């Protein structure tokens, strides 16, 4: 545990664990406050940050539970600090109420969920993709969700930085989802030089305090964000509120608030959505997979191509908002889509929804929820069964 | 003691907020808010430096009316949000306004951990012995045998003593006051605001509407008189024998001790690393200096040779 993480030689690749890459990505993105609670398989993120953050004067605190972890990072973000927590399924469940609070009050922060098997305590050390719908609908009420999902340790690092950038840009909690195996896997990672990183910071208000409205609506639906102690003295509440942040029961103000939450996402899909198409140009069969399953799928595609089978892969890096248009377009010329996921069927329904009117509406599923990874062989065998 | 001008509380209210407030006629929260604002005035803390954080319930509505940095959070979590604010920006004065249900039931965990860490928060628990906003359900401070809409046959659970709880968890300042004792309340709030460390002030408030309707106490005045009659100043109380303490509550500053505060401890940890950095940098510098010196020496020698 004596790695000098502040002085990693960025000219050559380094061997990093997925959770370590998330911690380094967060530090590179400008993390200033971490509040968390131990839970397998995410604990390394907190452990590494507890070592690194005091060195630079940044704040690390182990809270008394996940509810308070989520609360603490929202509080910290309201003082202008980039903040994050990291957890796994049971903890993610406990955070849901305050995640909704963060969305309603439009407070930037990053929540990492290193997924394990569920429901309940489930499988603490085994992989599962069982929380994908929870990332979309976990907290009550209509709400936005931005969820990023890497397939490698390298990408875990990159998407961590992107998660911070999106949180700051869109004034909302952003989820970074890891599969247990990515969290614990070690891979060679190329860390960019800090000066080459694109870092986005929240927009501060430029108006004098008496003109400032914490939730002022504008064509972009994203309001500048003041910090506590700057002289703006604004009010923040989880109650549905007007532009000043005061509770409201007026239907026009309720509608405007709810539209603001929705449209700041739906008006910016091009910026938010990333989908990888791998060998899709002439693919007759597409595999749709995300996270670590997509790694297996990529290997399966490579092997199938060696046998001259026209198979391709569609892999969303952004799972929420779901890439409706991209997935529909990519799957429009295929004859069949195999949806592979480590759950009892979550993203399959999204794929069906967006391709419902297509001619290609032939789906096969590969669902594994026995705590083991879907392998390239599993995917190739499933395809050979139906072809 | 600073002289308190009349209507000084008005200077701290938000005039652009839609009044009237949500509290019922006879409620004790308004009086306590007034006491608190007078304490802020006499403490001299600037509005910009105060963050008022609340949870859910009648007390939770307080921040919306006051001209500070304000945060109305989820049920029970005010202290957890406040911990994030205070730890990330220790120069701010963070005040938590919470109720008995908020602080002792759903948020009990955060209360004891804030006290254990001794983080510099001023936690004012407004205890009206009931869940008022939701219609008078039993809380962890509803006295044994009292009635509530969820204790229709009388409560069969003993109540919490919140001051004992805060003290044993490690808070460096613990006090109890009431809505009746307004001057004392202001003085205690001011002392709590000035204390570096976790300060917990339990403030007894009357709820003639939700609590009163279930317990034949619908007069706010009678309930205030009860507060006067059934509380005893701490000096007097400690001299009484156990028998005479029965049915009475102790009032005043119960704990005021010096214990290292959490953010100060963290600053010390950070300072350790800065020291190491400084010393390693100065080592580096002296090495560089040596290197330069030897270089210069060689240069000189070369020149001399020439």
């Amino acid at each position: 545990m004596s790695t000098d993480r502040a002085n990693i030689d960025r000219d050559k690749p380094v061997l990093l664990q997925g959770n370590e890459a998330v911690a380094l990505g967060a530090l590179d993105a400008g993390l200033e406050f971490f509040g968390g609670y131990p839970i397998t398989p995410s604990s390394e993120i907190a452990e590494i940050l507890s070592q690194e953050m005091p060195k630079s004067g940044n704040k690390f605190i182990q809270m008394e539970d996940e509810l308070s972890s989520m609360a603490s990072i929202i509080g910290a973000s309201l003082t202008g600090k980039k903040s994050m927590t990291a957890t796994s399924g049971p903890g993610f469940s406990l955070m849901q109420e305050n995640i909704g609070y963060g969305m309603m009050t439009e407070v930037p922060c990053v929540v990492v969920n290193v997924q394990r098997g569920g429901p309940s305590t489930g499988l603490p050390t085994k992989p599962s993709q069982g929380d994908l719908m929870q990332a979309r609908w976990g907290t009550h009420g209509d709400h936005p969700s931005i969820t990023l999902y890497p397939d490698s340790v390298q990408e875990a690092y990159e998407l961590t930085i992107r998660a911070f950038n999106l949180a700051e840009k869109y004034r909302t909690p952003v989820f970074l989802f890891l599969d247990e195996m990515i969290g614990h896997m070690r891979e060679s990672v190329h860390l960019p030089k800090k000066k080459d990183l694109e870092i986005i910071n929240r927009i501060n208000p430029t108006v004098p305090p008496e003109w400032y409205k914490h939730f002022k609506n504008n064509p972009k639906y994203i309001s500048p964000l003041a910090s506590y102690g700057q002289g703006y003295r604004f009010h923040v509440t989880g109650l549905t509120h007007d532009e000043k942040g005061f509770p409201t029961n007026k239907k026009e103000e309720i509608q405007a608030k709810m539209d603001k939450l929705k449209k700041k996402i739906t008006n910016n899909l091009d910026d938010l959505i990333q989908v990888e198409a791998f060998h899709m140009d002439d693919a007759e069969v597409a595999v749709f997979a995300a996270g670590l399953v997509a790694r297996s799928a990529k290997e399966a595609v490579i092997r199938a191509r060696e046998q001259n089978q026209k198979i391709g892969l569609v892999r969303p890096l952004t799972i929420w908002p779901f890439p409706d248009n991209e997935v529909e377009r990519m799957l429009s010329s295929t004859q069949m889509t195999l949806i592979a996921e480590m759950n009892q069927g979550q993203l399959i329904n999204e794929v069906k929804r967006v391709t419902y009117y297509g001619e290609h509406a032939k789906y096969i599923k590969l669902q594994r929820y026995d705590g083991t990874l879907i392998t390239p062989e599993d995917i190739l065998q499933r395809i050979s069964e139906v072809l | 003691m600073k002289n308190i001008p009349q209507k000084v509380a008005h200077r701290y209210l938000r005039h652009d907020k839609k009044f009237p407030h949500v509290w019922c006629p006879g409620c004790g929260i308004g009086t306590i808010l007034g006491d608190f604002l007078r304490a802020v005035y006499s403490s001299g803390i600037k509005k910009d430096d105060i963050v008022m954080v609340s949870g859910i319930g009648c007390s939770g509505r307080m921040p919306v009316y006051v001209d500070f940095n304000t945060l109305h959070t989820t049920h029970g979590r005010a202290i957890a949000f406040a911990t994030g604010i205070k730890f990330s920006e220790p120069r701010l004065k963070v005040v938590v306004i919470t109720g008995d249900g908020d602080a002792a039931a759903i948020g009990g965990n955060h209360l004891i951990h804030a006290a254990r860490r001794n983080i510099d928060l001023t936690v004012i628990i407004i205890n009206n012995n009931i869940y008022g906003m939701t219609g008078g359900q039993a809380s962890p401070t509803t006295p044994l045998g009292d009635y509530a809409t969820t204790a229709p046959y009388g409560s069969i659970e003993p109540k919490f003593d919140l001051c004992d709880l805060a003290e044993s968890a490690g808070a460096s300042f613990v006090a109890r006051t009431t809505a009746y004792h307004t001057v004392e309340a202001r003085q205690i709030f001011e002392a709590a605001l000035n204390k570096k460390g976790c300060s917990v002030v339990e403030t007894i408030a009357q709820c003639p509407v939700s609590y009163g309707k279930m317990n034949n106490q619908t007069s706010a005045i009678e309930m205030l008189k009860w507060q006067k009659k059934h509380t005893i100043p701490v000096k007097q109380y400690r001299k009484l024998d156990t028998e005479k303490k029965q049915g009475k509550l102790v009032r005043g500053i119960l704990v005021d001790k010096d214990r290292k505060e959490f953010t100060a401890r963290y600053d010390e940890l950070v300072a350790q690393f800065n020291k190491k950095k400084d010393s390693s940098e100065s080592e580096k510098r002296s090495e560089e200096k040596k290197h330069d010196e030897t270089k210069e020496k060689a240069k000189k020698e070369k020149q001399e040779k020439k």
Side-chain angles (χ1 to χ4, degrees):
Chain A
M1 286 298 216
S2 60
T3 334
D4 185 8
R5 294 192 183 87
N7 296 308
I8 292 177
D9 182 358
R10 288 170 186 251
D11 288 322
K12 45 189 186 191
V14 281
L15 187 67
L16 293 179
Q17 189 203 45
N19 284 341
E20 190 176 14
V22 170
L24 289 179
L27 291 170
D28 282 357
L31 176 69
E32 293 165 291
F33 186 99
F34 182 93
Y37 188 80
I39 186 166
T40 305
S42 79
S43 298
E44 291 86 356
I45 297 172
E47 287 171 359
I48 292 164
L49 292 173
S50 75
Q51 287 172 37
E52 299 302 320
M53 293 183 79
K55 292 181 190 170
S56 46
N58 291 313
K59 307 295 169 76
F60 172 91
I61 185 167
Q62 181 173 321
M63 293 299 288
E64 51 270 20
D65 52 32
E66 283 92 348
L67 301 96
S68 53
S69 300
M70 192 61 215
S72 73
I73 69 166
I74 293 172
S77 185
L78 283 166
T79 70
K81 307 292 188 295
K82 287 192 179 178
S83 59
M84 178 176 99
T85 188
T87 188
S88 185
F92 194 56
S93 292
L94 287 172
M95 286 177 185
Q96 290 302 329
E97 188 191 16
N98 285 336
I99 285 171
Y101 184 87
M103 288 166 173
M104 183 57 136
T105 56
E106 303 185 53
V107 176
C109 56
V110 173
V111 180
V112 182
N113 175 5
V114 188
Q115 289 176 97
R116 61 193 236 184
S120 190
T121 319
L123 301 159
T125 60
K126 295 206 178 290
S128 156
Q129 298 180 317
D131 305 348
L132 304 184
M133 295 311 290
Q134 192 186 17
R136 181 66 197 89
W137 298 116
T139 194
H140 58 277
D142 284 320
H143 56 265
S145 173
I146 302 174
T147 308
L148 311 181
Y149 202 7
D151 77 340
S152 66
V153 176
Q154 176 76 42
E155 208 171 83
Y157 168 84
E158 289 163 3
L159 291 189
T160 304
I161 295 174
R162 183 168 151 80
F164 276 92
N165 286 345
L166 295 178
E168 293 285 315
K169 190 172 177 182
Y170 293 100
R171 261 191 77 168
T172 188
V174 170
F175 302 134
L176 176 74
F177 265 44
L178 257 60
D179 292 308
E180 180 277 332
M181 275 182 172
I182 291 182
H184 281 160
M185 179 164 75
R186 282 175 201 278
E187 282 190 291
S188 175
V189 175
H190 175 72
L191 296 176
K193 295 219 167 62
K194 282 184 188 170
K195 65 174 171 58
D196 297 333
L197 294 170
E198 193 209 358
I199 302 296
I200 298 173
N201 296 315
R202 64 190 67 180
I203 307 165
N204 282 120
T206 48
V207 297
E210 57 273 24
W211 295 357
Y212 178 61
K213 289 178 178 170
H214 192 58
F215 299 99
K216 187 168 170 51
N217 230 330
N218 57 39
K220 286 182 174 170
Y221 301 97
I222 301 158
S223 334
L225 177 58
S227 305
Y228 282 156
Q230 281 184 327
Y232 286 88
R233 300 203 301 272
F234 51 91
H235 183 63
V236 175
T237 176
L239 290 167
T240 306
H241 42 261
D242 60 18
E243 288 189 330
K244 284 201 149 186
F246 296 140
T248 184
N249 277 318
K250 290 187 186 149
K251 61 180 182 182
E252 304 79 24
E253 289 176 347
I254 297 167
Q255 174 92 26
K257 174 71 199 186
M258 295 305 288
D259 280 344
K260 184 174 190 281
L261 290 182
K262 180 183 174 185
K263 287 182 180 170
K264 70 178 177 182
I265 304 297
T266 54
N267 281 18
N268 293 293
L269 292 176
D270 287 346
D271 185 37
L272 291 169
I273 282 170
Q274 289 184 328
V275 188
E276 183 191 0
F278 183 69
H279 283 297
M280 281 302 295
D281 290 343
D282 61 342
E284 288 162 3
V285 175
V287 182
F288 180 91
L292 198 54
V293 177
R295 276 297 267 288
S296 295
K298 201 171 259 183
E299 176 63 23
V301 168
I302 291 167
R303 287 191 209 167
R305 288 275 165 180
E306 281 165 8
Q307 308 294 319
N308 295 322
Q309 287 177 300
K310 287 185 175 171
I311 296 178
L313 166 69
V314 174
R315 174 176 79 92
L317 285 75
T318 312
I319 54 167
W320 306 115
F322 193 77
D324 289 18
N325 297 336
E326 291 74 6
V327 171
E328 194 203 354
R329 180 170 46 76
M330 287 172 187
L331 297 182
S332 62
S333 53
T334 58
Q335 294 161 13
M336 192 171 68
T337 305
L338 168 73
I339 296 107
E341 42 185 346
M342 287 190 289
N343 54 45
Q344 296 183 336
Q346 297 195 14
L347 291 183
I348 187 171
N349 295 315
E350 294 299 308
V351 176
K352 281 185 181 174
R353 175 177 62 77
V354 302
T355 56
Y356 184 69
Y357 295 103
E359 301 268 315
H360 51 280
K362 193 174 176 194
Y363 313 100
I364 48 171
K365 58 188 179 188
L366 173 56
Q367 291 161 2
R368 201 161 183 170
Y369 35 86
D370 58 357
T372 49
L373 180 66
I374 292 177
T375 61
E377 291 77 21
D378 290 340
I379 292 168
L380 289 170
Q381 197 200 327
R382 188 78 184 95
I383 291 172
S384 68
E385 280 168 17
V386 287
L387 271 186
Chain B
M1 186 67 58
K2 214 166 164 180
N3 197 27
I4 311 282
Q6 271 200 330
K7 293 193 173 178
V8 74
H10 288 218
R11 299 183 198 173
Y12 294 97
L13 296 178
R14 273 185 174 135
H15 299 288
D16 53 351
K17 170 69 196 85
K18 309 140 193 169
F19 277 90
H21 56 70
V22 296
W23 299 311
C24 307
C27 175
I29 297 176
T31 321
I32 293 163
L33 171 59
D35 298 339
F36 175 74
L37 295 178
R38 283 182 282 276
V40 170
Y41 171 79
S42 56
S43 73
I45 305 167
K46 285 192 210 130
K47 287 179 185 178
D48 281 344
D49 296 337
I50 295 181
V51 186
M52 187 189 269
V53 188
S54 72
I56 295 294
C58 301
S59 64
R61 295 302 183 100
M62 189 186 284
V64 75
Y65 307 116
V66 291
D67 190 15
F68 303 128
N69 304 283
T70 52
L71 184 64
H72 175 210
T73 71
T74 47
H75 199 11
R77 314 297 161 214
I79 290 173
F81 281 86
T83 299
I85 294 167
K86 181 70 195 181
F87 185 33
S88 66
E89 201 63 62
R91 71 176 180 88
L92 296 173
K93 183 56 78 180
V94 184
V95 180
V96 174
I97 303 291
T98 174
D100 45 307
D102 204 48
I106 190 167
N109 201 22
H110 312 308
L111 177 69
I112 57 173
H113 285 281
R116 174 181 65 83
R117 286 187 189 106
N118 199 32
I119 185 165
D120 187 20
L121 301 176
T122 305
V123 182
I124 297 175
I125 308 173
I126 299 176
N127 179 5
N128 59 7
N129 309 110
I130 204 93
Y131 286 82
M133 185 158 277
T134 45
Q137 295 81 14
S139 92
T141 60
T142 301
L144 191 66
D146 277 11
Y147 295 92
T149 51
T150 50
Y153 311 112
S155 170
I156 56 164
E157 296 182 19
K159 64 170 187 166
F160 254 137
D161 184 319
L162 296 176
C163 290
D164 284 355
L165 181 69
E167 180 182 359
S168 51
S172 61
F173 183 98
V174 180
R176 181 183 285 120
T177 185
T178 79
Y180 175 84
H181 300 90
T182 54
V183 175
E184 181 198 75
R186 170 175 58 76
Q187 288 164 350
I188 287 178
F189 291 152
E190 191 181 343
L193 283 168
N194 289 332
K195 181 77 187 178
K196 179 98 177 147
C198 184
S199 313
V200 178
V201 183
E202 180 190 0
T203 313
I204 311 286
Q206 72 281 8
C207 173
V209 174
S210 286
Y211 177 82
K213 75 174 177 199
M214 298 299 294
N215 293 284
N216 279 333
Q217 298 179 44
T218 48
S219 157
I221 296 168
E222 289 306 314
M223 292 179 86
L224 282 162
K225 283 183 184 162
W226 184 97
Q227 290 168 17
K228 183 187 177 188
K229 221 168 131 188
H230 288 82
T231 57
I232 300 172
V234 57
K235 268 188 194 164
Q236 237 173 296
Y237 184 86
R238 283 182 180 156
K239 285 180 203 152
L240 294 179
D241 47 40
T242 330
E243 221 171 83
K244 285 190 175 155
K245 286 179 182 170
Q246 284 298 317
K248 306 279 187 196
L249 281 169
V250 58
R251 199 179 83 227
I253 296 170
L254 310 177
V255 177
D256 186 356
K257 62 184 176 198
D258 289 322
R259 230 187 113 212
K260 196 167 273 180
E261 192 268 335
F262 172 74
T263 61
R265 266 188 213 274
Y266 195 83
D267 287 346
E268 283 180 10
L269 173 66
V270 171
Q272 280 179 22
F273 288 108
N274 287 341
K275 226 187 262 170
K276 271 185 208 163
K277 237 187 260 169
D278 285 347
S279 64
S280 71
E281 264 169 31
S282 67
E283 252 170 50
K284 223 182 186 179
R285 251 178 276 141
S286 66
E287 260 173 42
E288 274 169 19
K289 215 176 161 189
K290 250 187 223 165
H291 185 70
D292 288 348
E293 275 169 9
T294 46
K295 238 183 173 177
E296 232 155 76
K297 226 181 176 179
K299 223 178 171 182
K300 260 185 193 171
E301 276 171 16
K302 229 179 179 181
Q303 275 177 344
E304 274 167 19
K305 262 186 192 172
K306 271 184 186 172

